[in-house]
Amino acid sequence: GAVVSQHPSRVICKSGTSVKIECRSLDFQATTMFWYRQFPKKSLMLMATSNEGSKATYEQGVEKDKFLINHASLTLSTLTVTSAHPEDSSFYICSARRASSTDTQYFGPGTRLTVL
Amino acid sequence: GNSVTQMEGPVTLSEEAFLTINCTYTATGYPSLFWYVQYPGEGLQLLLKATKADDKGSNKGFEATYRKETTSFHLEKGSVQVSDSAVYFCALSGSTLGRLYFGRGTQLTVWP
């Protein structure tokens, strides 16, 4: 299989704090990982594309200083929401693409972030 | 550019009914096409895919055929179950970078 995990699954934090979300590919190497944000009853919005060992590519309108992405190894990418505010509350989903595949992405279970 | 248009939901069916969720796309080049399913509170799972024209993807009783002439990839199932209740997303991958373009999702609810 191709399993992607995310941690934590749920997090509640106070406004102004930072939150780190981890995305791991458990049984394959992922040269590319993607971070999405999903609003209620909406489709997924791609936030950024992360390649191992290089800087992430952010989509237009996504603040790179607010959503810090690190892809330090072929199995781990992290998203840090800095100085979180209530409007950052959302469902964040990562996906990973195998090194040997150019099209199929495998998705993590998502992280529900609530900022109070 | 690349885009996916998906049938607006929600779709409500009785168990064993026939399901069709329409999906059409606009793409440059020759995209791969996907259907993903999202169960409540979970991430997306790949349901099926097709990589070239006339390919049929199938899984768990669901099918979709890549129709280049109509730029469509409609999802069908002959007899739905309560456990099929979920949100279904049509998507395309149109570049070597692997970026996915998603439709807005269709909520399916199946009643016993």
Side-chain angles (χ1 to χ4, degrees):
Chain A
V3 180
V4 176
S5 70
Q6 272 183 251
H7 179 79
S9 57
R10 292 177 178 272
V11 57
I12 301 172
C13 69
K14 293 183 179 180
S15 188
T17 60
S18 294
V19 175
K20 180 185 283 189
I21 302 170
E22 292 186 349
C23 177
R24 293 182 185 272
S25 56
L26 298 184
D27 53 0
F28 66 99
Q29 293 186 328
T31 51
T32 306
M33 288 185 171
F34 302 85
W35 287 96
Y36 295 85
R37 182 171 177 176
Q38 187 178 32
F39 297 93
K41 299 185 179 181
K42 298 283 187 183
S43 187
L44 282 73
M45 182 192 81
L46 179 65
M47 299 174 67
T49 301
S50 156
N51 290 296
E52 186 264 338
S54 61
K55 290 185 179 180
T57 302
Y58 290 81
E59 294 299 303
Q60 192 172 10
V62 178
E63 299 175 61
K64 62 180 66 176
D65 294 332
K66 180 165 187 64
F67 298 100
L68 301 179
I69 291 171
N70 182 277
H71 191 164
S73 76
L74 285 172
T75 58
L76 173 65
S77 177
T78 60
L79 167 67
T80 301
V81 183
T82 62
S83 187
H85 291 283
E87 57 266 30
D88 299 324
S89 298
S90 193
F91 195 52
Y92 292 88
I93 304 175
C94 74
S95 70
R97 185 165 62 100
R98 288 178 188 270
S100 59
S101 169
T102 58
D103 59 10
T104 303
Q105 292 180 28
Y106 299 93
F107 284 78
T111 296
R112 172 70 62 192
L113 170 63
T114 303
V115 184
L116 302 176
Chain B
N2 297 316
S3 67
V4 175
T5 302
Q6 202 175 323
M7 175 176 153
E8 290 283 335
V11 174
T12 303
L13 295 172
S14 297
E15 205 165 26
E16 299 183 4
F18 184 85
L19 168 72
T20 300
I21 301 177
N22 290 338
C23 171
T24 57
Y25 67 91
T26 303
T28 53
Y30 304 96
S32 295
L33 301 174
F34 305 83
W35 278 99
Y36 283 87
V37 57
Q38 184 179 32
Y39 297 100
E42 299 182 9
L44 275 68
Q45 299 176 26
L46 177 64
L47 180 60
L48 55 84
K49 72 174 188 179
T51 58
K52 62 184 187 297
D54 300 325
D55 268 3
K56 178 186 283 187
S58 61
N59 185 25
K60 300 180 181 179
F62 291 90
E63 292 183 343
T65 301
Y66 189 141
R67 302 284 188 202
K68 189 177 178 184
E69 63 276 13
T70 55
T71 62
S72 65
F73 193 55
H74 305 321
L75 182 68
E76 296 183 336
K77 186 174 185 181
S79 176
V80 293
Q81 305 299 313
V82 173
S83 57
D84 294 327
S85 298
V87 180
Y88 292 81
F89 291 93
C90 185
L92 72 83
S93 174
S95 74
T96 55
L97 296 177
R99 176 185 173 160
L100 287 174
Y101 296 82
F102 284 92
R104 293 176 64 87
T106 301
Q107 172 75 55
L108 170 66
T109 302
V110 180
W111 296 100

